Amino acid sequence: MLQSTSRGIQISGAFIIISMSSVMIYWNSYQTKSADITIVNLTRQTTEISIKTCLKNPPSLVGHFVFHHFNGTLEDLNNKYQKYKPELGGKFKPLECQEREKLAIIIPYRDRQRHLMDFLSHMPPMLLRQRVEFTIFVIEQDPQEKFNRALMMNVGYLEALKQDNYSCFIFHDVDMYPINDNNIYKCSTSPRHLAVAVEKWKFRLPFRGYYGGVVAYPKAVIEKTNGFSNFYFGWGGEDDDLGARLAVVGLKFVRPAAVYGRYATPVHGKDKGNPVSKDRFRLLGNAKSRIWYDGLNSVVYNVSKIEKKKIYTHIHITVDRQKLEENVKLKNIELEMQHLKSSPINKQ
Ligand code: UDH
Ligand code: MN
């Protein structure tokens, strides 16, 4: 690269651009030691610089930015994002570089059209500045049963993997809007809790073990914890359950600094179909013992419709609570039988 740069110094005209690009790129690669840069066809007439791998902290980041409520239509957003050429279903790829990680953003959803439009307006520009390759999946639970946020997360994970081999999953409330793009939407080997300083909690953690709002999980960790519990119908408890699962498999959440993990949150009331769960403390009491049979390996749901929109994928789900709870119990019995069969006494 240095050799190419010094050749650039010999020529005139395009010289300044060539040398400035080279200097900038050199600075990036020095910063992260991971930039994979090729300078192709360096001649007097044409200079093409292709950056192969996206940087973790690209120079396009702006730091703090403002959340604006959006009043337009989905069609307006389709037009706005057309220049990024998202694939059908809303797969966005950075135009400037190649990103190795594929991110699925999973939104548990019901009847929050206004919040969803704000989300779709606010998120892609930030994610594109961060050079993330991403798809937004909205997982909508039909109205017949109480809302089950964690169940929608399990469904989102399984359904996203049917579409592509995503390696990173961010489970995201529809009404939380990041306002600092140094809060990078990529995965590390540890799971990360991103909603550290949230407006509705006066930009502080409400309590130390708060894992609500937005979490980033690499695929391998979700498999380890058997996803999320299927039992939390109604509001509350399911996010604390995630913490319990991680403790069982010996992992901890890490967090970005509070100056980065900042979120704007609109004020809203309680949703009709999501009353505070009376079962949540009882469920949390045995969360650690349920992890092996209550999760991805026992979830039951029905996909009623998949809409591949231009800028996101909308999946409609129906849940039969009785069937689901029966299946989870059956899984428990199945695993106990296997355990008994493989115990040393039975092997003799
Ligand atoms: N969600 C929906 N629809 C619902 C319920 C929940 O889409 O009917 C999703 C949505 O992504 C939302 C997330 O689940 O962001 C979390 O639900 P929430 O926004 O109700 O949770 P929050 O922690 O609780 O914001 C606010 C309850 C209001 C009580 C205010 C009194 N202090
Ligand atoms: Mn909310």
Side-chain angles (χ1 to χ4, degrees):
M1 189 185 83
L2 283 175
Q3 197 187 356
S4 305
T5 308
S6 63
R7 273 223 278 159
I9 289 164
Q10 309 285 316
I11 57 175
S12 56
F15 156 70
I16 295 173
I17 297 162
I18 296 163
S19 91
M20 276 182 55
S21 309
S22 302
V23 168
M24 195 176 84
I25 289 161
Y26 182 67
W27 178 77
N28 286 335
S29 63
Y30 171 73
Q31 275 227 316
T32 67
K33 299 193 175 21
S34 66
D36 185 357
I37 294 152
T38 322
I39 298 183
V40 193
N41 194 15
L42 186 69
T43 67
R44 262 166 215 273
Q45 288 79 29
T46 52
T47 303
E48 186 190 327
I49 298 176
S50 82
I51 304 173
K52 281 188 179 163
T53 307
C54 295
L55 299 162
K56 264 234 151 127
N57 291 295
S60 42
L61 298 181
V62 298
H64 186 81
F65 65 110
V66 179
F67 165 69
H68 292 291
H69 173 61
F70 176 66
N71 275 320
T73 63
L74 185 59
E75 198 50 39
D76 294 336
L77 293 176
N78 291 344
N79 294 335
K80 178 180 163 193
Y81 298 136
Q82 204 180 9
K83 61 179 181 231
Y84 300 110
K85 303 186 175 65
E87 286 171 29
L88 192 65
K91 188 183 294 171
F92 286 79
K93 295 182 179 176
L95 301 177
E96 300 77 4
C97 53
Q98 229 184 6
E99 173 56 22
R100 289 215 189 94
E101 186 171 273
K102 284 186 191 177
L103 167 67
I105 297 184
I106 310 292
I107 305 181
Y109 179 82
R110 178 194 272 170
D111 194 20
R112 294 282 194 98
Q113 176 70 12
R114 230 195 75 183
H115 290 163
L116 180 57
M117 291 308 292
D118 280 343
F119 192 88
L120 294 170
S121 159
H122 186 75
M123 295 301 290
M126 180 195 85
L127 295 165
L128 290 160
R129 288 201 299 282
Q130 294 183 343
R131 310 293 190 235
V132 177
E133 180 173 330
F134 68 94
T135 310
I136 296 171
F137 290 90
V138 172
I139 314 298
E140 175 164 355
Q141 185 184 340
D142 76 341
Q144 78 195 25
E145 202 31 271
K146 282 182 197 162
F147 192 66
N148 187 327
R149 179 171 171 269
L151 174 59
M152 291 305 107
M153 280 148 55
N154 277 341
V155 173
Y157 173 76
L158 294 170
E159 290 301 314
L161 283 177
K162 288 180 190 165
Q163 304 293 330
D164 203 350
N165 58 340
Y166 293 97
S167 51
C168 175
F169 293 80
I170 296 192
F171 300 94
H172 211 303
D173 279 5
V174 73
D175 57 4
M176 299 194 81
Y177 309 108
I179 50 175
N180 190 311
D181 63 10
N182 288 300
N183 183 8
I184 304 286
Y185 273 42
K186 295 188 183 183
C187 277
S188 58
T189 44
S190 295
R192 296 196 304 135
H193 175 234
L194 303 183
V196 182
V198 176
E199 188 178 6
K200 70 179 169 187
W201 309 120
K202 301 191 166 49
F203 292 105
R204 308 167 64 155
L205 285 176
F207 53 96
R208 231 179 114 224
Y210 171 68
Y211 300 128
V214 188
V215 288
Y217 271 78
K219 182 168 181 271
V221 173
I222 305 177
E223 295 289 334
K224 260 193 178 167
T225 63
N226 191 19
F228 310 101
S229 171
N230 297 304
F231 277 156
Y232 291 85
F233 285 87
W235 184 91
E238 84 294 344
D239 44 3
D240 301 326
D241 195 290
L242 308 188
R245 283 179 180 239
L246 285 177
V248 172
V249 299
L251 292 172
K252 278 192 177 138
F253 275 111
V254 294
R255 293 189 173 113
V259 283
Y260 295 157
R262 286 174 76 83
Y263 285 79
T265 48
V267 175
H268 67 81
K270 285 209 167 74
D271 302 278
K272 265 205 316 278
N274 196 26
V276 173
S277 157
K278 291 197 185 92
D279 295 335
R280 67 190 198 282
F281 297 114
R282 180 183 60 78
L283 287 168
L284 278 171
N286 62 10
K288 290 187 174 174
S289 60
R290 287 200 327 276
I291 157 170
W292 311 116
Y293 62 89
D294 169 21
L296 290 173
N297 65 358
S298 56
V299 64
V300 180
Y301 60 93
N302 183 49
V303 176
S304 49
K305 190 162 55 165
I306 299 183
E307 294 179 276
K308 289 197 175 186
K309 310 244 189 197
K310 282 190 178 151
I311 61 166
Y312 79 100
T313 297
H314 199 130
I315 303 185
H316 299 257
I317 302 298
T318 60
V319 178
D320 181 332
R321 182 168 178 174
Q322 205 184 334
K323 249 192 200 167
L324 170 82
E325 289 179 346
E326 272 166 20
N327 198 56
V328 177
K329 282 178 198 149
L330 275 176
K331 187 49 121 186
N332 186 19
I333 294 167
E334 183 192 316
L335 292 181
E336 281 188 356
M337 300 288 281
Q338 274 174 17
H339 184 70
L340 280 175
K341 271 192 205 153
S342 62
S343 75
I345 295 170
N346 281 321
K347 278 192 170 166
Q348 281 167 7

